[in-house]
Amino acid sequence: MRFGVVRFYGSNCDRDCYHVVSRVLHRPVRYVAHDESSLDDVDCVILPGGFSYGDYLRAGAMAARTRIMAAVEEFAAAGNPVIGICNGFQVLCEAGLLPGALMVNDGLRFICRPSLVRVEDNETPFTSGLQPGAVMSLPIAHQWGNYRPPPDGFRGRIVLRYSADDGSVTPESNPNGSWQNVAAIANARGNVLGMMPHPERSSESILGGEDGLGFFSSVVSWWEGGTSYV
Amino acid sequence: MYDDHPVWEDVGLTREEYEVIRSDLGRAPNGLELGMYGLMWSEHCSYKSSRRHLATLPTEGPRVLQGPGENAGVVDIGEDVAVAFRIESHNHPSAVEPFQGAATGIGGILRDIFAMGARPVALLDSLRFGDPKDPRVRYLFGGVVSGISWYGNCVGVPTVGGEVVFDEAYADNPLVNVMCIGLVEKDRLTRGLAAGEGNAVILAGASTGRDGIHGASLLASREFDEDPGDMRPAVQVGDPFREKLLIEACLEALEGGAVVGVNDLGAAGLTSACSETASRAGSGMWIDVDLVFRREEGMTPYEVMLSESQERMLIVAEAGREEEVLEVFGRWNLDAAVIGRVEDGELLRVFCGEEELASIPVMGLTEGAPDYDRPGLAPRPSRPEPPVGLGMDVDAGRALLELLAHPDMASRAPIFGQYDHMVGTNTVVPPGAADAAVLRVKGTDKGIACVTDGNGYACSLDPRRGAELSVAEAYRNICSVGALPLAVTNCLNFGNPEVEEVMGEFVEVVAGMGEACRRLDTPVTGGNVSFYNETRGKHIHPTPVIGMVGLLEDVSRHATAGFKEEGDEVILLGGDATHLGASAFSRVVAGVDNGPVPPVDYGAERVVGSVCRRGIAAGLVSSAHDVSGGGLAVSLAESAMLSPVGMGATVDLGSIHDPISALFGEEGARILVTCSPGVSESLLEMAGEEECPARIIGRVGGSRLEIGAGDSLHLSVPVDSLSSAWERGLE
Amino acid sequence: MIKASVYVTLRPGVLDPQGETIKSSLNDLGFSEVAGVRAGKYLELDLDTDDVAAARSRLDDMCGRLLSNPVIEDYTVEIEERRGS
Amino acid sequence: MIKASVYVTLRPGVLDPQGETIKSSLNDLGFSEVAGVRAGKYLELDLDTDDVAAARSRLDDMCGRLLSNPVIEDYTVEIEERRGS
Ligand SMILES: Nc1ncnc2c1ncn2[C@@H]1O[C@H](COP(=O)(O)OP(=O)(O)O)[C@@H](O)[C@H]1O
Ligand SMILES: [Mg+2]
């Protein structure tokens, strides 16, 4: 299974995602430039975190309009797995591949710290190996992570919600004001996932935790095992 | 404009300096030339008041690949990997515009690191402000922290450490010192050299505008008496997005092999980048201002040469291969253009098309700058009898809570929580968890530890000892995570050097720092001097900020400060404090603003550090935390608060001379470590081998911190209460 | 050359954390009369054309495609012609 | 009740990285006529008063103290009265 990590101008978690795929998962991976037009040679696309185009105008807005995003749309339409992490999530919303929008955090500030999330949906390629209801610790690092659903109603899947350590979804466990404590959503089909927490930052024990690895290993087993939810 | 002769005063020079220029050139300089001299001979660029003193610092060591004189110092950590690091101040810009001032400070220090061919992997920020209750101070503090957060987060370099101190002395002159660390393969190490006749001089990155003209000579090299409003044109806006592209493009261009040298454009812009690179290589150079891409119309050559526009780099490329370099920048959507050539000879020549506008001996601009032996009034450090216990009848528990809630000691989470400290996935020990940050070095088993430390308060009482203490504390912090201290970079923040009292302090601080670095085997590989931190005749505390890096051979063998397991034994490496001189307790609790600053016992520092490192490397140590601000009691409290579930400890100091001094005194080299009961003996044995004082003083467990001595219990506070005081202190 | 102004505002009903924070800071500073604040963006564009009608439709297009996010934002365009420049 | 609009723009000569990036993104999207973009802030305030003159001076004060950063920004205030509300 071959991964593609998209690099927009200003992406800065591209190398971290590349590292996890190549050094921790031991799977082939290549960088995909923002102006490429084909994803024929990859099986899973990662839109990494960072500050594409400086987060100027709106986080993810300009990246969503680059050439590669047309290819990502096609790739997703064919049912292939696409994951957007942090800025990648913002790009997916801006590109219309996921419903809704990410606004500035309630506190307006950038927040960088571990967060607890509860798994709501394990019927996506990226969560297929996770237990529904399980609570995981994943780092967050964002200023624009306050998820808002579209005005005409949410027609996607909630995949992760910020929670307390016992799994209860409380206002106190919501770091940024997200609707429904949303930390990650997927499209209705389930193959496009956007998440604010950074799984690539908690995929090795030396970094203090491995809860994030499950997202990457899930998609590998899903693909290699041929399990299909989509 | 260039022939509209500005007088020497306009460029910040003295008449004597002007006369030297005249005689060097054998003629009167024209306006452009004078402007260039003015910048290069400014205090900020020429170090004219500090050079001779900095020359006394120890700069050599077996691991030093690059000492002072380059954009950053570099040390070898083995396996072909080197660490580049440097600290720099952005005090004056931050006083005028805290958000952008601090942000562009981050931009500047990053460029010094990737100019060396190193990929920036970590940032640290050392900050000083006035009383946080003052709304203006809150505004400066808030602005600086969000500026660092914005720029650092956007470029994707984690901010992993730093420090903040609040003291009236900085009310009008906040200090913003930022440090950057980069990693480079040894054979990729690049220098700021404009070598090789005919090689191309390429300017890359942002276009040149009118921003920041005379920033170095006016903002950073003068007192700050004027209304900051007057300085506003010099304020610059940062563009971290473009900087991120510039990092990637420069590192990629270097891979191609066509690059001979790289230099950032910082203070004094093109003038400085051209003259420094030519001077280091012993070359001449010509450039044509017409070839410099600009963002504003109608800029004069003078403005182009003096502009301090951000996010620009100078690249010297092999003749005939310039296209390769230009192509890389183009791919990163950055402008780049050949603006001149290296040439033989000794002149920096500036053209506008065919017309030669300036012709100055390169060395005259750089090495030829004035070198002053400014008179200094030797400080008379206050060294009264050390206060013992202060004769006070204090409730130690209440004093501890008061200390923890003090802005200088309270939790820094509200600050580092705004910094992305994890991007890059190298951060093994994040901010707040230990005495130093630890980063792994991918592709090896190694780790690097880094820290900044400064104690302006101690320096104000006793400049020499205060400086020694600052180095010792950095050293101890590096040892506490298990790393071997390697080398030092430093930022020397002072008032006006033309004031004898300030110059006297400066000389003492440099002497103290040099002594400490020699005794602790941590050579100085670079740094920065910031003078003129003075408003309306009031100058800041002499404030040397030490940036130190250390090495862990096995990064998985490191320690953090929080208690780990119930039942672990608490071991004190080092002796007991016997007095309260220059302590946070005497200042905060007793309101006594006096010394003496305890002297550094280098022998003790070395053995305590060594035993701690060896214990950690051998896997004997569960947690380690040094004793510094607030003394033993604060140190124990921090380890309790940082434990996973608010684990307390019961400590019995045995027979001590004076309990308050033992609890809150700050003298001496001390590190608190915890070990599981089975292995304490091995650690004590190690200590014995090195003749390091060490003893078991207590046990981790329970939900309270209890400290007693023999039969008397001096303090018993629930960890929860400690935490709530500590966590709210900075709000 | 046409100079255009684009105002991007949050759609009614969309919570505006920034506006709310500004409002409460203003109240804290003693501006108690401030009953509500909504925060938006203001963009000035220079367009290299003299055809106002065409410019208007192009601006609509720019707003739809990039300058605003229809999920949460509305926009308004104003055009100011500068003759003879 | 008075409704006021505040426009905060960067002072001339101050670098506008956001505006420049938006411009080049618009150009890339085929809007080649876009010769320049300057990005600013737009705030709508509801003020609980009917005294326009007082409101104007209070707004000036708000801009000076919080809404704009005089070091790098300029501001403009527009007031629209809404009678009877
Ligand atoms: N306090 C100091 N200790 C040691 N070296 C210093 C100190 N201050 C400056 N230096 C060294 O002097 C050189 C020139 O500094 P500077 O002109 O500020 O560099 P840049 O042009 O890169 O900003 C640098 O190599 C720097 O490391
Ligand atoms: Mg430099």
Side-chain angles (χ1 to χ4, degrees):
Chain A
M1 178 185 198
R2 185 170 159 94
F3 287 76
V5 175
V6 177
R7 298 176 111 167
F8 301 107
Y9 286 138
S11 295
N12 65 31
C13 302
D14 47 337
R15 296 160 52 86
D16 302 351
C17 291
Y18 190 101
H19 169 81
V20 168
V21 175
S22 63
R23 292 297 149 100
V24 183
L25 283 180
H26 305 289
R27 290 298 183 283
V29 51
R30 75 169 182 96
Y31 289 118
V32 177
H34 66 94
D35 55 356
E36 289 186 39
S37 48
S38 163
L39 289 163
D40 287 351
D41 60 336
V42 304
D43 307 305
C44 174
V45 167
I46 301 176
L47 304 183
F51 284 65
S52 58
Y53 298 86
D55 269 5
Y56 296 143
L57 190 62
R58 291 183 312 279
M62 290 183 251
R65 277 102 189 144
T66 53
R67 184 185 300 163
I68 190 62
M69 287 309 293
V72 172
E73 191 171 348
E74 221 175 274
F75 183 82
N80 295 304
V82 175
I83 183 172
I85 300 167
C86 198
N87 194 235
F89 183 10
Q90 294 158 343
V91 173
L92 288 170
C93 286
E94 280 282 346
L97 291 175
L98 287 175
L102 289 146
M103 296 188 50
V104 71
N105 297 344
D106 259 358
L108 305 187
R109 285 181 175 170
F110 192 95
I111 309 173
C112 178
R113 60 171 174 81
S115 71
L116 295 177
V117 295
R118 189 178 79 184
V119 179
E120 301 290 310
D121 183 339
N122 73 341
E123 299 199 347
T124 81
F126 298 98
T127 53
S128 53
L130 308 178
Q131 290 302 318
V135 176
M136 334 177 73
S137 170
L138 297 173
I140 52 171
H142 61 249
Q143 192 159 12
W144 297 80
N146 182 350
Y147 180 75
R148 300 282 121 200
D152 55 348
F154 179 72
R155 277 181 293 273
R157 303 175 179 197
I158 295 180
V159 178
L160 299 174
R161 299 216 270 166
Y162 299 110
S163 76
D165 52 7
D166 64 357
S168 54
V169 174
T170 58
E172 299 75 56
S173 49
N174 187 340
N176 53 29
S178 263
W179 172 77
Q180 295 278 324
N181 278 38
V182 157
I185 60 166
N187 59 351
R189 194 173 178 181
N191 65 317
V192 178
L193 180 93
M195 61 190 292
M196 286 317 292
H198 284 272
E200 81 283 10
R201 296 183 181 186
S202 58
S203 290
E204 295 163 273
S205 60
I206 186 78
L207 301 179
E210 293 175 299
D211 283 359
L213 194 55
F215 295 84
F216 300 105
S217 54
S218 288
V219 73
V220 169
S221 339
W222 173 83
W223 195 87
E224 289 174 357
T227 329
S228 176
Y229 296 111
V230 297
Chain B
M1 183 69 77
Y2 55 91
D3 51 10
D4 176 13
H5 289 243
V7 287
W8 42 264
E9 285 156 336
D10 287 343
V11 297
L13 295 175
T14 65
R15 170 176 294 280
E16 293 70 33
E17 289 167 342
Y18 180 80
E19 289 308 328
V20 175
I21 293 167
R22 263 187 81 107
S23 83
D24 278 3
L25 288 176
R27 60 178 165 83
N30 64 34
L32 173 59
E33 290 169 336
L34 189 58
M36 292 167 68
Y37 272 108
L39 273 193
M40 292 304 294
W41 288 18
S42 68
E43 184 63 56
H44 184 80
C45 293
S46 72
Y47 293 84
K48 57 190 169 190
S49 307
S50 58
R51 243 190 298 166
R52 59 180 56 228
H53 304 288
L54 298 180
T56 65
L57 295 171
T59 59
E60 280 166 22
R63 291 185 183 268
V64 176
L65 297 175
Q66 178 65 60
E70 261 290 344
N71 292 304
V74 183
V75 291
D76 188 347
I77 59 166
E79 292 187 56
D80 275 334
V81 186
V83 177
F85 63 108
R86 168 94 188 266
I87 192 168
E88 209 163 54
S89 66
H90 235 218
N91 305 339
H92 293 87
S94 305
V96 179
E97 210 313 274
F99 181 92
Q100 292 293 347
T104 51
I106 295 287
I109 195 63
L110 285 164
R111 289 192 291 279
D112 274 328
I113 298 306
F114 66 85
M116 303 301 294
R119 175 172 287 277
V121 295
L123 290 161
L124 298 93
D125 60 332
S126 173
L127 311 176
R128 300 290 182 280
F129 300 97
D131 181 349
K133 287 196 216 60
D134 174 350
R136 161 112 192 128
V137 169
R138 299 288 310 184
Y139 158 77
L140 290 171
F141 172 47
V144 164
V145 171
S146 35
I148 293 170
S149 157
W150 173 61
Y151 205 105
N153 298 351
C154 186
V155 293
V157 179
T159 302
V160 300
E163 32 151 21
V164 190
V165 174
F166 299 92
D167 188 313
E168 256 325 299
Y170 307 101
D172 294 316
N173 286 272
L175 302 185
V176 176
N177 292 183
V178 289
M179 173 168 167
C180 183
I181 297 175
L183 291 176
V184 54
E185 279 169 46
K186 250 160 76 180
D187 57 3
R188 283 275 161 73
L189 192 58
T190 308
R191 291 186 167 81
L193 292 178
E197 200 203 347
N199 283 342
V201 177
I202 294 172
L203 180 63
S207 51
T208 298
R210 288 198 174 87
D211 35 358
I213 289 173
H214 280 304
S217 55
L218 296 189
L219 254 187
S221 300
R222 282 193 184 174
E223 276 182 44
F224 220 40
D225 286 346
E226 298 89 324
D227 168 15
D230 302 345
M231 304 291 195
R232 282 172 191 170
V235 170
Q236 296 157 70
V237 169
D239 185 355
F241 169 54
R242 196 187 305 264
E243 178 103 340
K244 166 68 179 163
L245 301 181
L246 200 52
I247 295 174
E248 298 303 331
C250 282
L251 294 180
E252 193 177 318
L254 284 170
E255 276 172 28
V259 173
V260 177
V262 180
N263 211 78
D264 61 298
L265 275 82
L270 264 178
T271 299
S272 154
C274 294
S275 52
E276 279 180 11
T277 50
S279 156
R280 287 194 197 108
S283 319
M285 182 188 290
W286 65 261
I287 62 166
D288 181 348
V289 290
D290 257 1
L291 301 175
V292 174
F293 42 100
R294 309 169 187 187
R295 75 167 70 110
E296 286 177 82
E297 278 170 29
M299 286 182 70
T300 62
Y302 184 89
E303 290 169 326
V304 171
M305 288 306 293
L306 271 63
S307 160
E308 293 184 4
S309 289
Q310 300 285 306
E311 288 96 22
R312 297 181 300 163
M313 295 294 277
L314 195 79
I315 320 280
V316 179
E318 273 177 34
R321 298 185 65 185
E322 32 305 73
E323 283 306 319
E324 291 173 36
V325 174
L326 297 177
E327 189 272 331
V328 173
F329 285 94
R331 214 153 9 81
W332 286 97
N333 213 17
L334 292 167
D335 290 326
V338 175
I339 62 162
R341 296 274 163 190
V342 179
E343 57 185 5
D344 283 345
E346 53 169 25
L347 296 175
L348 174 61
R349 301 190 300 151
V350 180
F351 288 83
C352 180
E354 296 290 296
E355 193 187 350
E356 187 179 274
L357 305 179
S359 173
I360 307 179
V362 167
M363 292 297 175
L365 282 173
T366 55
E367 322 256 287
D371 174 9
Y372 293 132
D373 189 2
R374 297 210 189 269
L377 195 65
R380 271 183 296 140
S382 165
R383 290 179 188 166
E385 263 311 290
V388 176
L390 286 162
M392 290 174 67
D393 186 13
V394 283
D395 176 336
R398 200 161 310 142
L400 175 58
L401 289 169
E402 188 177 345
L403 285 169
L404 292 176
H406 188 273
D408 283 355
M409 261 154 288
S411 165
R412 265 61 190 132
I415 302 170
F416 63 71
Q418 295 180 59
Y419 300 153
D420 188 340
H421 47 259
M422 303 183 287
V423 59
T425 59
N426 298 318
T427 310
V428 172
V429 176
D435 290 312
V438 175
L439 300 153
R440 67 168 163 180
V441 179
K442 285 192 185 112
T444 73
D445 291 335
K446 295 174 195 289
I448 48 180
C450 49
V451 76
T452 62
D453 269 300
N455 192 337
Y457 171 66
C459 291
S460 75
L461 299 173
D462 189 333
R464 184 184 288 251
R465 282 190 184 173
E468 294 182 68
L469 210 63
S470 303
V471 178
E473 181 164 354
Y475 180 90
R476 221 180 295 143
N477 283 334
I478 295 285
C479 294
S480 297
V481 295
L484 176 70
L486 295 184
V488 158
T489 181
N490 69 99
C491 193
L492 303 173
N493 305 274
F494 285 79
N496 180 347
E498 296 155 51
V499 173
E500 293 193 4
E501 185 195 343
V502 172
M503 199 61 214
E505 291 171 346
F506 181 81
V507 172
E508 284 291 292
V509 160
V510 173
M513 180 172 79
E515 169 73 1
C517 290
R518 250 184 298 272
R519 301 282 293 273
L520 296 173
D521 287 329
T522 52
V524 177
T525 62
N528 181 241
V529 178
S530 172
F531 279 129
Y532 300 98
N533 293 288
E534 183 152 341
T535 302
R536 288 177 288 277
K538 212 175 122 241
H539 54 81
I540 59 163
H541 288 330
T543 312
V545 172
I546 307 300
M548 193 179 283
V549 294
L551 174 65
L552 290 125
E553 288 298 341
D554 178 355
V555 71
S556 68
R557 293 283 168 97
H558 64 264
T560 54
F563 292 145
K564 298 292 178 305
E565 295 282 345
E566 296 261 343
D568 277 358
E569 284 169 323
V570 182
I571 297 172
L572 175 63
L573 300 178
D576 290 306
T578 58
H579 70 80
L580 292 163
S583 66
F585 179 92
S586 61
R587 199 163 32 115
V588 173
V589 182
V592 181
D593 219 0
N594 210 343
V597 176
V600 174
D601 177 342
Y602 292 103
E605 289 292 351
R606 294 182 69 117
V607 293
V608 165
S610 162
V611 171
C612 180
R613 287 196 309 270
R614 285 175 59 201
I616 293 169
L620 304 176
V621 169
S622 313
S623 75
H625 187 21
D626 80 321
V627 177
S628 56
L632 186 78
V634 164
S635 208
L636 285 165
E638 286 168 343
S639 292
M641 296 183 296
L642 290 171
S643 68
V645 290
M647 245 180 267
T650 308
V651 167
D652 178 359
L653 293 173
S655 74
I656 42 169
H657 176 58
D658 170 65
I660 291 298
S661 301
L663 258 59
F664 298 107
E666 296 178 17
E667 93 215 80
R670 287 178 290 163
I671 298 178
L672 277 168
V673 299
T674 59
C675 295
S676 60
V679 301
S680 296
E681 276 313 312
S682 318
L683 190 83
L684 293 175
E685 253 166 51
M686 277 182 186
E689 284 160 27
E690 304 207 27
E691 291 174 35
C692 171
R695 69 182 202 273
I696 297 175
I697 60 167
R699 192 178 286 276
V700 174
S703 60
R704 305 176 75 86
L705 176 62
E706 302 201 327
I707 309 179
D711 292 337
S712 37
L713 180 63
H714 293 294
L715 168 165
S716 172
V717 188
V719 178
D720 279 352
S721 315
L722 299 173
S723 296
S724 59
W726 184 65
E727 279 160 14
R728 282 204 302 266
L730 257 196
E731 271 171 10
Chain C
M1 184 66 89
I2 285 176
K3 193 174 139 92
S5 300
V6 172
Y7 307 86
V8 181
T9 49
L10 285 174
R11 291 170 59 146
V14 176
L15 281 181
D16 177 8
Q18 197 183 350
E20 279 170 29
T21 307
I22 296 173
K23 171 188 174 287
S24 74
S25 314
L26 285 171
N27 291 158
D28 290 351
L29 285 173
F31 299 104
S32 52
E33 71 270 40
V34 179
V37 178
R38 302 280 287 171
K41 284 173 211 137
Y42 171 64
L43 301 168
E44 290 175 349
L45 286 84
D46 292 322
L47 304 181
D48 214 352
T49 169
D50 290 315
D51 183 339
V52 176
R56 193 171 294 279
S57 103
R58 296 279 282 176
L59 282 160
D60 258 337
D61 214 12
M62 292 180 211
C63 289
R65 286 181 60 196
L66 180 71
L67 301 180
S68 81
N69 178 350
V71 177
I72 45 169
E73 294 171 332
D74 287 329
Y75 65 87
T76 325
V77 174
E78 271 171 25
I79 291 186
E80 167 201 318
E81 268 170 282
R82 279 180 297 180
R83 303 249 162 239
S85 61
Chain D
M1 184 69 88
I2 286 176
K3 193 174 140 91
S5 300
V6 174
Y7 308 86
V8 182
T9 50
L10 286 171
R11 289 168 60 150
V14 174
L15 176 68
D16 179 8
Q18 174 160 231
E20 281 182 24
T21 310
I22 296 171
K23 171 190 173 284
S24 86
S25 180
L26 285 171
N27 292 158
D28 289 350
L29 286 173
F31 299 105
S32 53
E33 71 269 39
V34 179
V37 176
R38 300 281 285 171
K41 282 174 234 147
Y42 171 64
L43 301 168
E44 289 174 350
L45 287 85
D46 292 321
L47 305 182
D48 214 353
T49 167
D50 289 315
D51 182 339
V52 175
R56 194 171 294 279
S57 103
R58 296 280 282 176
L59 282 161
D60 259 338
D61 213 12
M62 293 180 211
C63 289
R65 288 179 60 194
L66 182 76
L67 303 180
S68 82
N69 176 355
V71 178
I72 49 172
E73 294 171 333
D74 288 329
Y75 65 86
T76 325
V77 174
E78 272 171 25
I79 292 188
E80 168 201 319
E81 264 169 283
R82 278 180 299 179
R83 300 254 163 237
S85 61

